[in-house]
């Protein structure tokens, strides 16, 4: 999982956008994201410093509203998480980040040493097996099932485990 930026496919196509740096080709754009993205390096500051982008206006949005803002044309570029459910289905184009300003936010289980001892080695093996299957695409599908399709998280998790021979 990582932070990133996305645009509508037509916008990417009409401006020749594949990377964050390609946004220099756009005369001016509106970048929407959580309010803290105005002052974060993993947001507007990094886009200016690392990519030299000074051709945008930042619009603060609550997390989750960026896709509605993109769809309605209120913004041109949105701050996203690469595991967002809305990224399924090709409605949005995620721009690559060759300079790595958005970093990575890997999903990792955190378990106390006491619990590991109490549960035995099979517990750690099970966690590792699940972690190995948690790709961005798998997380997008599960997030879509919960966020968009309103399925229960436990049912989605169980289906994921069964589909991957883990449950």
């Amino acid at each position: 999982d990582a932070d990133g930026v996305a645009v509508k496919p037509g916008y990417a196509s009409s401006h020749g956008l594949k990377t964050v740096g390609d946004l220099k080709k756009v005369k001016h754009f509106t970048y929407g994201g959580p309010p803290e993205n105005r002052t974060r390096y993993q947001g507007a500051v990094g886009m200016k410093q690392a990519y030299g982008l000074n051709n945008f206006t930042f619009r603060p949005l609550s997390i989750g509203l960026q896709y509605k803002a993109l769809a309605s044309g209120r913004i041109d570029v949105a701050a996203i998480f690469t595991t967002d459910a809305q990224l399924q289905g090709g409605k949005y184009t995620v721009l690559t980040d060759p300079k790595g300003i958005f970093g990575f936010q890997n999903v990792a289980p955190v378990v106390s040493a006491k619990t590991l001892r109490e549960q035995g080695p099979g517990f750690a093996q099970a966690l590792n097996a699940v972690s190995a299957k948690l790709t961005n695409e798998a997380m997008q599908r599960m997030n879509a099932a919960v966020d968009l399709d309103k399925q229960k998280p436990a049912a989605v998790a169980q289906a994921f485990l069964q589909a991957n021979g883990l449950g």
Side-chain angles (χ1 to χ4, degrees), residues 70-154:
L70 262 179
S72 71
R74 285 187 57 224
I75 62 172
D76 304 302
V77 179
I80 55 94
F81 303 113
T82 58
T83 56
D84 284 344
Q86 294 86 344
L87 295 175
Q88 292 242 301
K91 291 182 183 177
Y92 304 98
T93 299
V94 177
L95 302 180
T96 61
D97 174 24
K99 297 191 182 225
I101 67 168
F102 295 105
F104 300 96
Q105 299 171 0
N106 295 320
V107 176
V110 177
V111 181
S112 72
K114 178 183 175 192
T115 299
L116 283 175
R117 282 192 306 276
E118 289 172 357
Q119 297 299 316
F123 182 69
Q125 291 169 345
L127 286 176
N128 289 336
V130 170
S131 291
K133 300 290 185 183
L134 287 177
T135 63
N136 275 353
E137 293 76 21
M139 294 289 290
Q140 285 174 2
R141 282 192 302 274
M142 287 188 285
N143 285 337
V146 173
D147 295 340
L148 304 178
D149 300 336
K150 305 301 182 200
Q151 295 179 32
K152 294 187 183 222

Side-chain angles (χ1 to χ4, degrees), residues 4-122:
V5 294
V7 298
K8 292 193 293 188
Y11 190 82
S13 178
S14 67
H15 293 288
L17 306 177
K18 294 190 184 314
T19 72
V20 176
D22 289 341
L23 288 165
K24 278 188 174 183
K25 300 174 187 178
V26 180
K27 183 175 180 177
H28 184 269
F29 64 92
T30 302
Y31 168 57
E36 64 270 18
N37 276 27
R38 181 186 310 271
T39 58
R40 290 180 70 209
Y41 187 78
Q42 298 86 359
V45 173
M47 290 170 64
K48 289 177 181 179
Q49 289 179 5
Y51 288 105
L53 299 174
N54 293 305
N55 56 336
F56 66 92
T57 301
F58 178 75
R59 175 166 286 158
L61 299 166
S62 296
I63 292 175
L65 296 182
Q66 69 271 39
Y67 294 101
K68 287 181 182 178
L70 262 179
S72 71
R74 285 187 57 224
I75 62 172
D76 304 302
V77 179
I80 55 94
F81 303 113
T82 58
T83 56
D84 284 344
Q86 294 86 344
L87 295 175
Q88 292 242 301
K91 291 182 183 177
Y92 304 98
T93 299
V94 177
L95 302 180
T96 61
D97 174 24
K99 297 191 182 225
I101 67 168
F102 295 105
F104 300 96
Q105 299 171 0
N106 295 320
V107 176
V110 177
V111 181
S112 72
K114 178 183 175 192
T115 299
L116 283 175
R117 282 192 306 276
E118 289 172 357
Q119 297 299 316

